[in-house]
């Protein structure tokens, strides 16, 4: 019997361009924490392509079931089972990691949760570790496309706490956690991949 796994077409479309950036950002990384794993398609793809590192997927306890079967079926030695992690939980159920990744989470989380994500990662990421954050972002209040503006309106109509985040606000959060923006890479469909590097002064 086959089971249909939860599936995201967007993940299929963006996993290759994201991987090209992760290859450099995580070149000498041993252990990556992924926040908000969703269907697990990114986790499987990146763990398979980057066998030198261990990939730790995680998600909010209400969503962790979405990826469980796909992660198990992948059978990859460097891909760990899904970890229950609500970024608002204290303490986080994980301590050290030298890389972090999160895709399409900052516009779904409420702003205080975005702050908690940066705090939790900034406090635990080892010196020179990279935090790679993928998604749509605005720049000094301006959207990079009409489709992103419409997406932001759609999100805020669905739930007022959601919305596309501005790079200036994220950067301010990041700096407070000892994370410096190293690169901001254009991705397909008007998305970006932000790479922050830890200066080891978080928390
Ligand atoms: C739009 S989905 C993105 C999933 C996947 N990363 C992707 O790119 O397809 C947003 C993800 O953020 C997670 N999320 C939302 N609030 C969270 C929280 N407080 N702590 C951890 N994860 C959270 C959701 O459970 C979901 O997996």
């Amino acid at each position: 019997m086959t089971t249909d796994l939860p599936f995201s077409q967007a993940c299929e479309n963006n996993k290759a361009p994201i991987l090209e950036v992760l290859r450099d950002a995580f070149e000498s990384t041993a252990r990556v924490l992924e926040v908000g794993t969703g269907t697990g398609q990114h986790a499987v793809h990146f763990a398979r392509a980057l066998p030198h590192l261990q990939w730790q997927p995680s998600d909010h306890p209400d969503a962790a079931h979405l990826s469980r079967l796909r992660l198990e079926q992948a059978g990859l030695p460097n891909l760990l089972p899904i970890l229950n992690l609500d970024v608002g939980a204290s303490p986080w159920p994980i301590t050290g990691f030298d890389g972090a990744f999160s895709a399409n989470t900052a516009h779904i989380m409420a702003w205080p949760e975005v702050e908690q994500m940066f705090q939790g990662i900034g406090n635990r990421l080892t010196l020179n570790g990279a935090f790679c954050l993928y998604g749509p972002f605005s720049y000094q209040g301006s959207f990079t496309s009409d489709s992103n503006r419409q997406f932001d309106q759609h999100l805020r109509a669905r739930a007022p706490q959601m919305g596309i985040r501005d790079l200036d606000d994220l950067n301010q959060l990041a700096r407070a956690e000892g994370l410096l923006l190293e690169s901001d890479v254009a991705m397909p469909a008007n998305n970006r991949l932000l790479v922050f590097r830890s200066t080891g002064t978080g928390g």
Side-chain angles (χ1 to χ4, degrees):
M1 194 181 85
T2 57
T3 311
D4 283 339
L5 299 173
F7 178 80
S8 156
Q9 186 58 47
C11 284
E12 289 307 300
N13 298 346
N14 62 35
K15 66 186 185 182
I18 294 176
L19 176 60
E20 289 319 303
V21 179
L22 299 192
R23 278 191 200 286
D24 280 346
F26 294 151
E27 190 179 11
S28 51
T29 300
R31 189 180 188 215
V32 174
L33 171 69
E34 179 182 10
V35 173
T37 287
T39 64
Q41 287 159 263
H42 281 154
V44 170
H45 190 68
F46 302 149
R48 185 173 283 134
L50 304 170
H52 67 279
L53 55 74
Q54 193 178 54
W55 194 273
Q56 174 62 75
S58 79
D59 213 331
H60 190 283
D62 293 346
H65 65 280
L66 290 173
S67 59
R68 192 165 284 120
L69 193 54
R70 173 175 275 108
L71 300 174
E72 277 172 22
Q73 287 182 353
L76 295 169
N78 64 329
L79 180 57
L80 297 174
I82 187 82
L83 177 74
N84 281 333
L85 171 61
D86 174 351
V87 295
S90 182
W92 279 19
I94 183 167
T95 48
F97 42 86
D98 57 355
F101 172 77
S102 194
N104 291 317
T105 47
H107 59 271
I108 298 295
M109 293 175 183
W111 182 250
E113 294 173 320
V114 179
E115 292 177 321
Q116 288 162 326
M117 173 165 68
F118 273 82
Q119 283 160 5
I121 289 173
N123 286 342
R124 291 168 183 79
L125 193 59
T126 54
L127 177 65
N128 289 325
F131 171 31
C132 299
L133 182 64
Y134 173 89
F137 304 106
S138 59
Y139 291 78
Q140 298 184 321
S142 295
F143 295 100
T144 56
S145 68
D146 284 343
S147 61
N148 277 359
R149 181 195 315 282
Q150 285 158 12
F151 183 46
D152 181 66
Q153 285 168 354
H154 164 81
L155 287 167
R156 290 176 197 275
R158 208 174 114 197
Q161 73 274 16
M162 293 186 192
I164 290 181
R165 308 303 173 191
D166 198 88
L167 181 66
D168 284 351
D169 295 332
L170 294 174
N171 230 342
Q172 199 175 334
L173 269 189
R175 278 198 296 267
E177 301 306 325
L179 299 166
L180 291 187
L181 185 63
E182 181 178 86
S183 58
D184 172 1
V185 185
M187 293 274 119
N190 301 303
N191 288 302
R192 313 290 302 186
L193 185 51
L194 309 177
V195 181
F196 298 94
R197 192 66 65 176
S198 172
T199 59
T201 57

